[in-house]
Amino acid sequence: MVSLLSHINPTPGFPPYTGPFKVGSTDVEIPTAELPSPSPAPDPSISTVSFRIFYPSESPAKHAKPVYWLPDPQQEYLGAYVRFLGASHRLSAFLRFMQSAKNLPFIRILAYTTIPAIQNAKLLQAPTKTQRWPVMVFSHGLGGTKNAYSHLLGSLSSHGVVVIAPDHRDGSAPLSRVREKPGSAPRYVDYKSISHSQSPEVEQARDEQLKIRLWELGLIHEALLKIDRGEPLSNVVSEESAGTTGPLAMFSSSLDVHTPGSISWSGHSFGAASIVQFVKSVFYNTIKTAPSAYQPLFKPSASSQIAHQITPSSPVFLLDLWCLPLISRSTQWLHDLPLPCYAPGGPGGRNLLAILSEAFFKWGNNLIELKRTVSEDPTLDAPLNKSHPAPYVFYPVTSAHLSQSDFGVLFPWFTKKAFKAQDPARTLRLNTRAILEVMRRNGIEVANTSAMDKEEAASEGHVPDGQVGQDPKILKRDGSIIGWVSLNLANTERSEEAANEQTSESADPMEAVVQGEMSKTRSN
């Protein structure tokens, strides 16, 4: 125990965001009855849609309210995390110790941990040509919440992106709270423990979760349109009634959400799989005739707003894509179709970025599926991009699955000890740099990456005339950035090598999640 104590930093916290803008954050929960549903509701009991907004803000007032990392009610969420992680053999001893207040006041310290954002800070006026901020929607993975990726999303906001982080109510979060109306008793959606091994039962269970996730993403898009148009919406969190002035009002006429293809779509792990299913479900719903065996998880009407938003120009960012949910037999037809960017006349891989952790890179079967998913022909065992530019695919060395979430930054001592992960803050900076540079290359106005983040002297930061982007080095495939490895879709050697490596599969699904969801998707 003494040895463990010597490695624990008793005050978990976040480094400051490195972009030029301050960051604000506001919680939103809107009754679904106030939003047009682009597809039939898969679960009528889910009466609200919940998300957090990270955004560039004005400088905070002296007595501005901080944003606590652990959501309210903190005791319930903390207990949910303990239940979620407690079944892990690696974590159970640590969690038992963590719960012992007489040994370490860790619980109380975590409850006071804040993120470097200000609650309900005033939105900064966009300095872009359109005077609107670019928007990204980010879907969380298993065990995640709308808060669990705050450092990555806040870092993007500090560079001029409004990021929407849904709180999915599909049973993938440790806990999610549903409030019918201000002041009413909340209802809780607990985590659903589902096996990570492929079977018809697992496929059906994951499909049911995806139905909820895709429906929520469609509702959030509808909410963003209404928010930008200044239309009245109730916000259960802030006890706003429709038509009253609250935090949502400041976003009116400030979001670039109406131009087709303008919204970026991103996610981590199961969230990345959700984004793949979402953009493909929307894009192919009206332009392809599906076979009778195909059972769509999300079927928006051709006249719905989301059907106009998703185009080949829609940027897509996939972090540690978990591929098992994509290979359900009921959606095989959709799986075999390429992402919208590969449609005729589309940009190909120029607006598609996949970033793996080293743990997922070493997970051979998932790596092969990922290469198929991001290629122009997902049916090929050895994907080739013959007609379009290849996507950007990278991984940072010595990174774990948790490194792209807040957990690596909050608990570096644990991720290093358990997963051999190094420098989680740098891992997130590399992720942020790559996302921002892909956005720049697709005409999205975001702030410059600092020389410090680019790990170079200020004098090296000049971009030569004619050079596309402001941080071109981050997307180079020549290994010029130490510990930042580019993957070639056509190179199967590493996939075969990785497939033969020992992966740590356990009998318990939660252990598999914590260890990088290391269970095989399918034999190849």
Side-chain angles (χ1 to χ4, degrees), residues 336 338 342 371-372 374-381 383-385:
D336 292 345
Y342 294 117
K371 288 187 173 185
R372 290 185 179 125
V374 300
S375 72
E376 66 181 35
D377 188 350
T379 65
L380 297 178
D381 287 336
L384 291 173
N385 273 43

Side-chain angles (χ1 to χ4, degrees), residues 243-410:
T244 61
T245 301
L248 293 181
M250 65 182 166
F251 295 100
S252 177
S253 302
S254 298
L255 306 177
D256 189 3
V257 293
H258 301 285
T259 305
S262 60
I263 298 176
S264 298
W265 302 91
S266 184
H268 176 250
S269 191
F270 193 22
S274 302
I275 293 301
V276 170
Q277 290 292 77
F278 182 72
V279 297
K280 289 171 73 170
S281 295
V282 174
F283 186 72
Y284 290 112
N285 182 49
T286 57
I287 65 173
K288 290 278 188 179
T289 301
S292 57
Y294 172 61
Q295 300 175 30
L297 306 178
F298 182 66
K299 195 173 182 179
S301 67
S303 60
S304 65
Q305 295 294 329
I306 191 62
H308 298 290
Q309 175 58 226
I310 302 295
T311 74
S313 299
S314 299
V316 172
F317 304 96
L318 307 173
L319 309 185
D320 252 3
L321 171 63
W322 179 40
C323 295
L324 185 143
L326 302 179
I327 59 174
S328 170
R329 293 169 181 82
S330 64
T331 59
Q332 183 67 43
W333 173 78
L334 191 67
H335 168 273
D336 292 345
L337 294 172
L339 285 160
C341 61
Y342 294 117
R350 283 194 293 262
N351 65 353
L352 175 57
L353 170 67
I355 305 177
L356 292 74
S357 63
E358 185 171 14
F360 265 41
F361 167 64
K362 290 181 176 179
W363 182 8
N365 289 336
N366 195 78
L367 177 61
I368 292 170
E369 281 294 341
L370 177 139
K371 288 187 173 185
R372 290 185 179 125
T373 300
V374 300
S375 72
E376 66 181 35
D377 188 350
T379 65
L380 297 178
D381 287 336
L384 291 173
N385 273 43
K386 297 180 178 179
S387 306
H388 298 87
Y392 302 103
V393 185
F394 295 90
Y395 79 89
V397 299
T398 63
S399 58
H401 189 52
L402 296 177
S403 298
Q404 290 167 316
S405 71
D406 287 349
F407 294 99
V409 176
L410 280 177

Side-chain angles (χ1 to χ4, degrees), residues 92-103:
S92 57
F94 165 71
L95 288 170
R96 284 196 300 270
F97 174 76
M98 190 175 76
Q99 287 178 284
S100 177
K102 66 180 181 181
N103 289 325

Side-chain angles (χ1 to χ4, degrees), residues 124-269:
L124 185 69
Q125 183 174 351
T128 59
K129 294 175 183 177
T130 62
Q131 295 187 316
R132 292 175 178 270
W133 293 107
V135 173
M136 173 185 289
V137 177
F138 186 94
S139 176
H140 68 72
L142 293 179
T145 66
K146 60 188 176 183
N147 275 21
Y149 303 84
S150 71
H151 200 66
L152 173 66
L153 307 189
S155 296
L156 292 169
S157 290
S158 75
H159 287 86
V161 184
V162 171
V163 187
I164 312 300
D167 209 31
H168 291 298
R169 270 71 173 274
D170 62 324
S172 61
L175 187 72
S176 186
R177 182 166 60 160
V178 182
R179 286 165 289 197
E180 305 291 338
K181 57 184 179 179
S184 64
R187 179 176 67 85
Y188 292 98
V189 179
D190 293 316
Y191 178 77
K192 295 179 181 177
S193 181
I194 300 171
S195 172
H196 284 55
S197 298
Q198 189 182 12
S199 69
E201 294 75 21
V202 169
E203 289 181 3
Q204 182 178 359
R206 295 298 181 199
D207 284 348
E208 292 303 314
Q209 287 186 305
L210 282 169
K211 286 179 183 178
I212 294 173
R213 284 170 158 259
L214 307 193
W215 174 67
E216 289 172 326
L217 292 172
L219 287 176
I220 287 171
H221 174 256
E222 292 288 348
L224 292 175
L225 297 179
K226 283 180 168 284
I227 290 169
D228 184 75
R229 289 195 291 254
E231 297 181 16
L233 285 171
S234 303
N235 186 2
V236 177
V237 176
S238 58
E239 301 190 359
E240 297 172 44
S241 300
T244 61
T245 301
L248 293 181
M250 65 182 166
F251 295 100
S252 177
S253 302
S254 298
L255 306 177
D256 189 3
V257 293
H258 301 285
T259 305
S262 60
I263 298 176
S264 298
W265 302 91
S266 184
H268 176 250
S269 191

Side-chain angles (χ1 to χ4, degrees), residues 388-446:
H388 298 87
Y392 302 103
V393 185
F394 295 90
Y395 79 89
V397 299
T398 63
S399 58
H401 189 52
L402 296 177
S403 298
Q404 290 167 316
S405 71
D406 287 349
F407 294 99
V409 176
L410 280 177
F411 314 115
W413 39 270
F414 171 72
T415 53
K416 181 178 180 179
K417 182 177 179 64
F419 309 118
K420 307 296 188 292
Q422 303 286 339
D423 202 349
R426 182 176 188 261
T427 295
L428 287 179
R429 287 196 301 272
L430 291 170
N431 276 258
T432 302
R433 287 176 61 187
I435 292 170
L436 291 171
E437 185 63 11
V438 170
M439 296 180 82
R440 293 185 193 103
R441 293 191 181 195
N442 286 275
I444 299 173
E445 292 183 73
V446 293

